[in-house]
Amino acid sequence: MLATINAEMPIWDRYVVQNLCLELKGKTKEAQLNCAVALYGQMKDWYRNFLNTENGRNCIAEFDKILPGYTWMSDVKKIDLFLWSLRV
């Protein structure tokens, strides 16, 4: 829900998590929640770092080139789409 309210926050999706090589662990609900909070922090760090790389900038440029009607979308949402669309 956070990613819906704030376009600068990455989406938590099984494909995004999988493509970032992250794994939700924990035997109890509390442990899983604590792990999810930590993983979300790692996701935010990954997005921030990736968007500052040449590859990240190229992904955004390619997205804008192919879908010029969606340049209004945040860079985070564009990367969400790339990660979500990859099926490993």
Side-chain angles (χ1 to χ4, degrees), residues 17-18 26-27 31-32 35 43 45 55 58 64 75-76 80 86:
V17 171
Q18 180 181 11
K27 294 185 189 254
Q32 290 174 349
C35 181
M43 288 173 63
D45 290 344
N55 193 22
N58 288 341
D64 291 342
D75 290 348
V76 169
D80 276 347
L86 294 172

Side-chain angles (χ1 to χ4, degrees), residues 64-84:
D64 291 342
K65 178 181 168 187
I66 293 170
L67 297 167
Y70 293 89
T71 57
W72 56 267
M73 285 177 61
S74 75
D75 290 348
V76 169
K77 292 299 156 224
K78 293 172 187 177
I79 299 303
D80 276 347
L81 183 61
F82 280 125
L83 290 171
W84 178 83

Side-chain angles (χ1 to χ4, degrees), residues 9-42:
M9 300 301 280
I11 192 167
W12 180 281
D13 173 86
R14 70 181 253 194
Y15 298 112
V16 173
V17 171
Q18 180 181 11
N19 287 318
L20 294 179
C21 299
L22 301 173
E23 183 181 357
L24 183 61
K25 297 178 182 178
K27 294 185 189 254
T28 67
K29 293 296 180 186
E30 184 178 352
Q32 290 174 349
L33 178 60
N34 290 334
C35 181
V37 170
L39 290 180
Y40 197 73
Q42 291 175 28

Side-chain angles (χ1 to χ4, degrees), residues 10 38-51:
L39 290 180
Y40 197 73
Q42 291 175 28
M43 288 173 63
K44 291 188 315 183
D45 290 344
W46 184 90
Y47 275 70
R48 183 179 57 252
N49 292 331
F50 180 72
L51 287 169

Side-chain angles (χ1 to χ4, degrees), residues 48-63:
R48 183 179 57 252
N49 292 331
F50 180 72
L51 287 169
N52 286 316
T53 66
E54 183 177 352
N55 193 22
R57 290 186 293 274
N58 288 341
C59 284
I60 300 304
E62 193 66 22
F63 185 102

